[in-house]
Amino acid sequence: MSENTPLVSHDGPIRWGIVGTGNIAKIFARDLPLARSAELVAVGSRSQEKADAFGDMFNIPRRYDSYEGIVNDPDIDVVYVATPHPWHHDITIQLLNAGKNVLCEKPMAMNVAETREMIEAARANGCFLMEAIWTRFRPAMVKVREFLNDGTIGEVQYLTATMGWNNPFDADFRLFNKDLGGSALLDAGIYAVQMVQMVLGKPVEMVSVATLGESGVDENCMITTRHANGGVANAGITVRASSRNLCMIAGSNGTIVMDHDWHRPSTFTLFRAGQEPEFFDCSHEGIGYQFEMNEVEDCLRGGIIEHPVISWSDSLEIAQIMQDALRSWGVTFPYDRD
Ligand SMILES: NC(=O)c1ccc[n+]([C@@H]2O[C@H](COP(=O)([O-])OP(=O)(O)OC[C@H]3O[C@@H](n4cnc5c(N)ncnc54)[C@H](OP(=O)(O)O)[C@@H]3O)[C@@H](O)[C@H]2O)c1
């Protein structure tokens, strides 16, 4: 990373604000004390009651009954956007236009057009923006990337990344509700898609299939891609089967296997031709969101508005794969645009 004018003007802990008080906001807030230098200074909710309850839970001094409270608070260095995906775009753009740096939950937006507008707003305002693909910063994934980059397994030609769980249908739950951005692919399949994109880049060819459920959202899907180096990949998600989560990255000289919750890996095995398998254990404290918080801190202090490990073009490529797949299955949302 190059050194530019810092995006924060103090040496104290990074002052985080949070927008939304749901499931992931709580998990994130729980991990925040594990970050190198971070404090939670403000929370915004659609209701004062929820802002206060969240504030009490995590000892947050400033609690707002609207997201605008966070937008207008001058003493926040970076905002974590933790609303359901259809509400990522508007609030992120408001925050960026108010000069705030943003870590936005995944998927960054509902489609490519929204993603592009968010990136344009970050660029125009000189603010940091990153899609919260936290898995890329976990120590195990950092080690896997080292092996990919230093040629340990040779040129990757074959990748499979699949995950899932059996989630009983619930029309009100975000996953099954199109008004809330419902789609197994957007919700969790993005982990498999981002893995393919991280390892093999943008596809040159793609075919995919999905099974749609009673609310018209994709519940089982498989996306197969071919890439410029000849490599092929499978990215799958199911919310209808009690699936093991498996990822195998196979190169000309060896294979990396993550056979336990690879979307949030702590361990993996390296297989090299003619050698004993090597098992790596990269366990750590907490769930592991502190690692992306530390990366955000490095960017803010280093004046970097686009993180190289989950860059804006990465987010656009991930959004394009998902948009193309969803549209090919006939999954439409009230938020669709070209
Ligand atoms: N990185 C990860 O590991 C991970 C894990 C789970 C989810 N996520 C992502 O994080 C985002 C939020 O997921 P979640 O599981 O935390 O969702 P959630 O539990 O439903 O919480 C979302 C929060 O967003 C706010 N919100 C704003 N507009 C809303 C609306 N129209 N309907 C419902 N809530 C609304 C609510 O907070 P207030 O009422 O306080 O405003 C709500 O508590 C999603 O984009 C999801 O893909 C990421």
Side-chain angles (χ1 to χ4, degrees):
M1 291 187 191
S2 61
E3 289 295 319
N4 304 308
T5 308
L7 299 167
V8 287
S9 53
H10 61 84
D11 297 327
I14 297 297
R15 300 167 305 175
W16 285 83
I18 291 195
V19 161
T21 58
N23 174 46
I24 193 62
K26 292 190 184 83
I27 295 171
F28 186 89
R30 234 170 261 135
D31 264 0
L32 192 126
L34 299 174
R36 200 170 41 219
S37 177
E39 61 180 338
L40 208 37
V41 296
V43 58
S45 168
R46 294 167 303 165
S47 90
Q48 189 66 54
E49 198 186 346
K50 284 204 255 175
D52 286 337
F54 194 92
D56 288 346
M57 204 179 295
F58 298 105
N59 203 18
I60 304 171
R62 303 194 291 283
R63 298 107 184 250
Y64 298 108
D65 66 356
S66 71
Y67 300 157
E68 283 66 35
I70 297 282
V71 174
N72 297 325
D73 185 327
D75 296 318
I76 293 175
D77 296 320
V78 58
V79 178
Y80 173 55
V81 171
T83 57
H85 359 305
W87 293 278
H88 290 175
H89 170 267
D90 288 9
I91 187 63
T92 294
I93 290 187
Q94 275 185 59
L95 287 161
L96 292 166
N97 286 342
K100 296 279 189 299
N101 302 296
V102 176
L103 173 67
C104 179
E105 255 314 331
K106 53 82 194 150
M108 185 119 111
M110 288 299 292
N111 49 52
V112 175
E114 285 188 354
T115 309
R116 189 171 290 118
E117 286 169 7
M118 293 157 78
I119 290 166
E120 280 163 9
R123 189 179 282 118
N125 290 292
C127 291
F128 173 82
L129 172 66
M130 186 173 84
E131 185 172 10
I133 310 255
W134 66 303
T135 189
R136 290 195 181 186
F137 302 116
R138 295 174 64 89
M141 202 63 90
V142 171
K143 190 80 192 151
V144 164
R145 259 201 319 278
E146 267 172 42
F147 286 138
L148 294 174
N149 294 336
D150 69 10
T152 297
I153 64 163
E155 190 177 10
V156 176
Q157 286 294 300
Y158 190 66
L159 187 161
T160 183
T162 57
M163 58 185 282
W165 68 98
N166 186 354
N167 203 120
F169 180 76
D170 172 357
D172 296 327
F173 177 40
R174 192 189 72 226
L175 182 63
F176 299 101
N177 185 327
K178 281 195 182 185
D179 290 342
L180 299 176
S183 151
L185 177 61
L186 288 177
D187 195 274
I190 183 172
Y191 280 109
V193 170
Q194 70 78 29
M195 179 58 113
V196 171
Q197 191 275 338
M198 182 183 88
V199 177
L200 286 164
K202 186 177 167 175
V204 293
E205 189 180 353
M206 178 175 127
V207 289
S208 66
V209 288
T211 304
L212 310 190
E214 61 186 274
S215 58
V217 312
D218 48 293
E219 295 183 2
N220 283 338
C221 82
M222 195 62 85
I223 299 174
T224 301
T225 53
R226 185 174 65 80
H227 298 262
N229 73 343
V232 294
N234 254 341
I237 176 74
T238 177
V239 292
R240 287 185 172 195
S242 177
S243 170
R244 292 286 296 172
N245 298 341
L246 302 170
C247 178
M248 181 184 74
I249 307 170
S252 42
N253 300 329
T255 297
I256 290 168
V257 174
M258 287 175 269
D259 59 3
H260 180 69
D261 282 352
W262 63 266
H263 70 293
R264 37 180 281 179
S266 295
T267 59
F268 67 92
T269 307
L270 171 66
F271 296 85
R272 282 187 279 194
Q275 296 187 29
E276 286 297 311
E278 285 177 77
F279 180 74
F280 292 84
D281 186 343
C282 307
S283 302
H284 50 75
E285 270 189 282
I287 306 286
Y289 290 88
Q290 66 270 30
F291 302 108
E292 76 176 347
M293 295 172 204
N294 291 343
E295 294 290 329
V296 172
E297 179 190 355
D298 288 344
C299 287
L300 300 188
R301 298 209 196 276
I304 292 149
I305 61 174
E306 178 184 8
H307 199 294
V309 170
I310 173 71
S311 69
W312 295 340
S313 63
D314 290 341
S315 289
L316 281 168
E317 287 176 14
I318 292 164
Q320 188 73 58
I321 293 170
M322 295 196 297
Q323 175 174 300
D324 290 350
L326 287 163
R327 291 188 182 181
S328 76
W329 307 330
V331 178
T332 56
F333 296 96
Y335 318 97
D336 282 349
R337 341 202 223 113
D338 287 327

